[in-house]
Amino acid sequence: MWFRNPFPRFYKDADFQIACDQYTGRRGDGSSTDRRNRPNGGFTFVRSNVRTLQFYQFWYHARQSFPGMHDQDVLNKIKFDALLDAIGLNVWFLDTAYFGRFCEPARNHARQLLRRAGPQDPRPQRRAWDWKHYMSLPADSRGSASFTWRAPQRCRENSPPLAYQSSRSKKSSR
C-alpha cells in the first residue's frame, strides 16, 4: 500500500533496489548496500539495463542450483556471488523505516512511504481503514508511538511476544 511518493527515496545510481525483511542500519551509513540485509521480493525498483538483464538471467538460472526454494530464498543465496560485482550491478536495500511490512511495527508512521502485505495479511482493506484513521489524527499526533497498525492474526501468531501489539489488544489492556 503506497502512502506517499516513494521515488524521492530511491537511490539514483542503483540498478536494483529491493525492500527488506531485515535492514541492518540507518540510511547514509553504508547499510543500504550491505548484502547482509535480508531482501524481500515484495517490492523492487529496477532500472532496465544490461546489468539488470544479466542479473535476472543469473537469478532465474540459479533456481536450478536450489531446487524447491522460493525465488526470494534463492536471492538470499546468490546475493554474495562474485558475478554481481563482475557485472557491476549496484544493489541497494530499502530501509524498513520507509518501506515496511504490515507484520512489522513501524518506528515512525510519519516516515512510512509504503507498507507491503504478505500471505499472512489477506485483508488489505483493513490496512486502508488504519491509514484513514492515522490521517484523521491531528498532524502533531501522527509522529507519536500511540498509533499502531492492527496486526493480522497470523502476524501475531508468528511474531515474538510483544513484537507487535494490535490496537485491539492495547484497548483491552487499559
Side-chain angles (χ1 to χ4, degrees):
M1 182 179 290
W2 289 41
F3 305 127
R4 297 175 187 86
N5 179 4
F7 289 94
R9 284 279 170 199
F10 293 144
Y11 300 92
K12 65 177 181 165
D13 297 329
D15 295 312
F16 179 83
Q17 300 179 63
I18 188 163
C20 293
D21 282 335
Q22 183 178 35
Y23 184 75
T24 61
R26 295 182 316 270
R27 184 179 173 96
D29 70 355
S31 299
S32 295
T33 57
D34 186 343
R35 292 190 186 163
R36 290 174 297 176
N37 284 302
R38 292 201 36 223
N40 182 299
F43 182 80
T44 57
F45 185 76
V46 181
R47 186 179 313 274
S48 178
N49 58 38
V50 172
R51 293 180 300 274
T52 56
L53 291 173
Q54 289 175 324
F55 168 66
Y56 271 102
Q57 288 173 343
F58 173 62
W59 188 2
Y60 178 80
H61 292 295
R63 295 177 318 140
Q64 295 170 351
S65 300
F66 305 99
M69 290 183 82
H70 186 275
D71 62 336
Q72 181 173 305
D73 298 320
V74 173
L75 175 59
N76 270 307
K77 296 283 189 187
I78 67 168
K79 67 185 177 185
F80 296 105
D81 196 282
L83 178 78
L84 277 64
D85 294 324
I87 63 175
L89 185 74
N90 292 317
V91 178
W92 290 72
F93 299 92
L94 300 170
D95 190 339
T96 55
Y98 303 101
F99 302 88
R101 297 178 301 149
F102 284 115
C103 275
E104 168 189 297
R107 294 179 294 251
N108 183 341
H109 293 283
R111 292 171 55 188
Q112 290 284 288
L113 301 173
L114 66 85
R115 289 179 80 73
R116 63 192 187 284
Q120 72 280 359
D121 189 9
R123 296 191 193 118
Q125 67 273 17
R126 251 193 227 164
R127 307 292 81 76
W129 184 91
D130 287 344
W131 178 247
K132 287 178 184 177
H133 172 70
Y134 171 73
M135 291 305 291
S136 72
L137 296 171
D140 60 343
S141 299
R142 290 184 195 156
S144 75
S146 63
F147 175 81
T148 61
W149 296 99
R150 292 176 295 162
Q153 182 66 33
R154 290 187 207 159
C155 295
R156 294 189 301 264
E157 292 169 357
N158 297 324
S159 295
L162 301 175
Y164 202 123
Q165 187 175 21
S166 73
S167 53
R168 182 174 289 177
S169 63
K170 277 184 134 179
K171 288 177 186 173
S172 63
S173 65
R174 290 183 185 158

